[in-house]
Amino acid sequence: MYPVLLLALLWDSRYLDGLREQERRSRAEDPVDGVHFWTKARVRVYTIVLAFLLVCGLGACVLGLAGLFGDSAVLRGVLAGTLVLALVTLLVRVFGEVVRATRDSS
């Protein structure tokens, strides 16, 4: 499931190409049309951290199933948190894409 989430978050619907083409100036640089929080630098860090967590989560699942380390409440919590973060991010992206695609063009 983690690889599918990773693909959906990063490569589906040309996400990285669209991000590269966007103007995402901060509110300080552009008081009228600037973004408050999600500047390109913050999107970059968030996306890289999320991808890192998903890859590490996949590795932890495989290594745990292989019996290289035991089950623990901490491990379950970290993996569940990673999964929730990925799913919420995917939900927000889907919501944003649907709203943008169906917005009235007038």
Side-chain angles (χ1 to χ4, degrees), residues 16-93:
L16 296 176
D17 293 334
L19 190 59
R20 183 182 307 117
E21 295 167 0
Q22 282 183 354
E23 284 286 329
R24 297 187 71 86
R25 293 185 302 254
S26 70
R27 184 65 75 179
E29 295 171 5
D30 186 357
V32 176
D33 295 320
V35 293
H36 287 285
F37 184 78
W38 289 109
T39 60
K40 276 193 176 184
R42 288 184 176 142
V43 171
R44 178 185 318 118
V45 169
Y46 182 81
T47 304
I48 289 171
V49 167
L50 183 62
F52 176 79
L53 288 173
L54 286 173
V55 169
C56 288
L58 175 62
C61 288
V62 171
L63 293 174
L65 288 172
L68 294 178
F69 51 83
D71 187 20
S72 71
V74 173
L75 177 63
R76 286 183 184 199
V78 169
L79 291 177
T82 300
L83 180 62
V84 167
L85 178 65
L87 290 175
V88 168
T89 301
L90 185 60
L91 181 65
V92 169
R93 281 209 36 231

